[in-house]
């Protein structure tokens, strides 16, 4: 079980402030399905916290599920209970700050900005363009 913090005022807008938690959970489940992420999970929303539980085929899929539900406007915490079929090393997470680029993030993480493509690939399908990151967004930084 893990707890992850996100920036509440940053992320993709999926639902209104006055929506019932059940509607919010449905919107998040739809987002996960639309992204085509692997895993059989159930989503519950309580205020600004998402609880996600179920199974994922890989550690990478687990981490992408966490990021997909956490990088949503209005969500500040993700509590997860996702089992993984095949064990792999965990990636690090990085919260984007103003002025960050994938090049700068790769330079800090790997010592070489040219390796930004590894971070971009690790965050697909949530990222569609390496130049479209925003402050508050949380990214996967995989081991090379």
């Amino acid at each position: 079980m893990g707890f992850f913090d996100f920036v509440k005022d940053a992320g993709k807008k999926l639902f209104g402030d006055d929506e019932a938690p059940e509607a919010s959970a449905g919107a998040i489940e739809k987002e996960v399905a639309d992204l085509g992420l692997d895993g059989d999970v159930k989503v519950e929303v309580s205020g600004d916290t998402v609880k996600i539980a179920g199974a994922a085929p890989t550690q990478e899929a687990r981490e992408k599920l966490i990021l997909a539900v956490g990088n949503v406007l209005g969500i500040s915490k993700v509590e997860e209970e996702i089992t993984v079929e095949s064990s792999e090393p965990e990636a690090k997470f990085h919260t984007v700050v103003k002025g960050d680029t994938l090049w700068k993030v790769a330079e800090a993480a790997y010592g070489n900005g040219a390796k930004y493509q590894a971070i971009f690939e690790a965050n697909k399908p949530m990222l569609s363009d390496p130049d479209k990151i925003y402050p508050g967004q949380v990214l996967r930084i995989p081991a090379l």
Side-chain angles (χ1 to χ4, degrees):
M1 180 171 178
F3 298 92
F4 300 87
D5 292 321
F6 290 82
V7 177
K8 184 177 181 175
D9 298 327
K12 187 171 184 179
K13 184 171 177 68
L14 297 181
F15 45 82
D17 296 334
D18 56 350
E19 272 191 66
E22 299 78 26
S24 302
I28 292 173
E29 287 174 345
K30 182 180 182 318
E31 175 69 2
V32 167
D34 289 349
L35 290 171
L37 297 175
D38 291 335
D40 180 22
V41 294
K42 179 173 178 11
V43 175
E44 294 178 23
V45 178
S46 177
D48 63 355
T49 301
V50 174
K51 294 179 182 176
I52 183 169
T58 64
Q59 181 66 26
E60 177 183 0
R62 174 186 164 264
E63 292 165 354
K64 286 184 177 186
L65 286 163
I66 293 165
L67 292 178
V69 303
N71 282 323
V72 170
L73 187 64
I75 300 301
S76 69
K77 293 192 183 310
V78 174
E79 293 179 30
E80 65 84 26
E81 291 183 21
I82 302 173
T83 59
V84 177
E85 293 173 19
S86 62
S87 180
E88 306 165 6
E90 289 188 22
K92 295 179 182 175
F93 287 178
H94 171 80
T95 302
V96 176
V97 297
K98 186 175 180 177
D100 268 354
T101 63
L102 287 186
W103 185 280
K104 284 184 183 177
V105 174
E107 205 166 55
Y110 305 133
N112 183 350
K115 297 187 186 266
Y116 78 91
Q117 197 68 25
I119 297 171
F120 175 62
E121 291 297 325
N123 287 278
K124 280 183 172 178
M126 288 81 64
L127 289 183
S128 60
D129 184 312
D131 294 326
K132 293 186 177 179
I133 62 173
Y134 54 86
Q137 183 177 26
V138 180
L139 302 172
R140 284 183 74 239
I141 311 297
L144 292 180

